[in-house]
């Protein structure tokens, strides 16, 4: 199964992706995790991406498209994958569609998780406290920036996938296990 989890920062995409990994036996592909790991390891990609990620902007479409294209060719993605944090722009969605067509693969579903803006700011702020400042992009100022970037560049994907009949929406304001149950229902629908 090939799934996209779509939704703003702090809505619980990562949490739900990790649960679905266990349930479905397919890997989570988080472009954010891949970038953070590159930054921590000071690879050429990490060095290039650090300032952009730290201020809450998006790294270039070409960079993330390349990361995803290479990653889905790996053996553990043969049975499917859960995209978490990609695509984040219309050009990325077009690139994903082209790369899947190229590889003879199809997308099964796009699950949008929703929550109101105040809840998101609180959740990301709590995540920052719990992680002891592990993420430079979890400060109040950068959280606001990331929410703005989401609204402007990523939210248009809701209409994009809805027009293609691929969008299913679940409420992310309920407890974690209820969100998981709603996603399960959405995937079986
Ligand atoms: P995330 O963990 O998904 O919230 O991603 C953290 C940061 O990594 C984002 O704020 C961006 O700077 C960068 N990033 C992750 N995924 C993408 C993407 N698909 N396109 C551009 N930048 C991304």
């Amino acid at each position: 199964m090939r799934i996209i989890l779509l939704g703003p920062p702090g809505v619980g995409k990562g949490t739900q992706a990790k649960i679905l990994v266990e349930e479905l036996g397919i890997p989570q592909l988080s472009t954010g995790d891949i970038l953070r790991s590159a930054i921590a390891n000071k690879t050429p990609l990490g060095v290039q991406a650090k300032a952009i990620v730290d201020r809450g902007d998006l790294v270039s479409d070409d960079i993330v498209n390349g990361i995803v294209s290479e990653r889905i060719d790996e053996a553990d993605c043969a049975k499917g994958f859960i995209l978490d944090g990609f695509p984040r722009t219309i050009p990325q969605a077009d690139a994903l569609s082209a790369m899947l067509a190229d590889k003879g693969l199809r997308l099964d579903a796009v699950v949008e998780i929703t929550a109101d803006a105040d809840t998101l700011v609180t959740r990301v702020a709590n995540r920052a406290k719990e992680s002891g400042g592990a993420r430079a992009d979890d400060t109040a100022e950068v959280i606001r920036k990331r929410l703005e970037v989401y609204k402007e560049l990523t939210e248009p994907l809701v209409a994009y996938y809805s027009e293609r009949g691929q969008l299913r929406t679940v409420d992310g304001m309920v407890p974690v296990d209820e969100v998981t149950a709603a996603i399960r229902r959405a995937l079986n629908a």
Side-chain angles (χ1 to χ4, degrees), residues 31-32 35-36 53 57-59 64 85-86 88 92 135 137 146:
T31 42
L35 289 166
R36 277 186 289 280
V53 171
D57 278 323
L58 296 186
V59 305
V64 285
F86 179 92
R88 243 177 168 99
Q92 289 179 23
R135 284 182 59 161
D137 63 347
R146 286 165 60 214

Side-chain angles (χ1 to χ4, degrees), residues 9-158:
V11 82
K13 296 187 300 294
T15 303
Q16 294 300 329
K18 286 184 177 66
I19 298 170
L20 293 171
V21 163
E22 297 299 317
E23 287 200 7
L24 303 173
I26 50 177
Q28 168 193 18
L29 257 93
S30 158
T31 42
D33 283 351
I34 293 169
L35 289 166
R36 277 186 289 280
S37 152
I39 292 169
N41 293 315
K42 299 193 167 65
T43 67
L45 166 67
V47 171
Q48 198 184 348
K50 183 176 178 0
I52 303 166
V53 171
D54 283 358
R55 66 171 185 262
D57 278 323
L58 296 186
V59 305
S60 80
D61 291 336
D62 284 350
I63 289 181
V64 285
N65 293 342
I67 291 175
V68 172
S69 178
E70 278 183 22
R71 182 66 187 86
I72 63 184
D73 283 340
E74 286 175 34
D76 63 332
C77 290
K79 281 197 290 176
F81 44 79
I82 302 157
L83 285 168
D84 159 15
F86 179 92
R88 243 177 168 99
T89 63
I90 300 271
Q92 289 179 23
D94 286 336
L96 175 66
S97 160
M99 73 178 84
L100 289 178
D102 224 38
K103 299 175 199 289
L105 304 173
R106 82 188 154 77
L107 194 63
D108 292 287
V110 180
V111 179
E112 180 203 8
I113 312 177
T114 59
D116 67 52
D118 288 348
T119 306
L120 296 171
V121 175
T122 314
R123 281 198 198 166
V124 182
N126 285 340
R127 176 169 77 192
K129 264 190 236 143
E130 282 161 19
S131 71
R135 284 182 59 161
D137 63 347
D138 269 353
T139 63
E141 196 187 329
V142 181
I143 295 164
R144 270 192 296 275
K145 169 77 183 172
R146 286 165 60 214
L147 286 169
E148 271 171 38
V149 168
Y150 179 81
K151 268 224 147 324
E152 186 189 335
L153 296 173
T154 310
E155 211 168 59
L157 293 178
V158 172

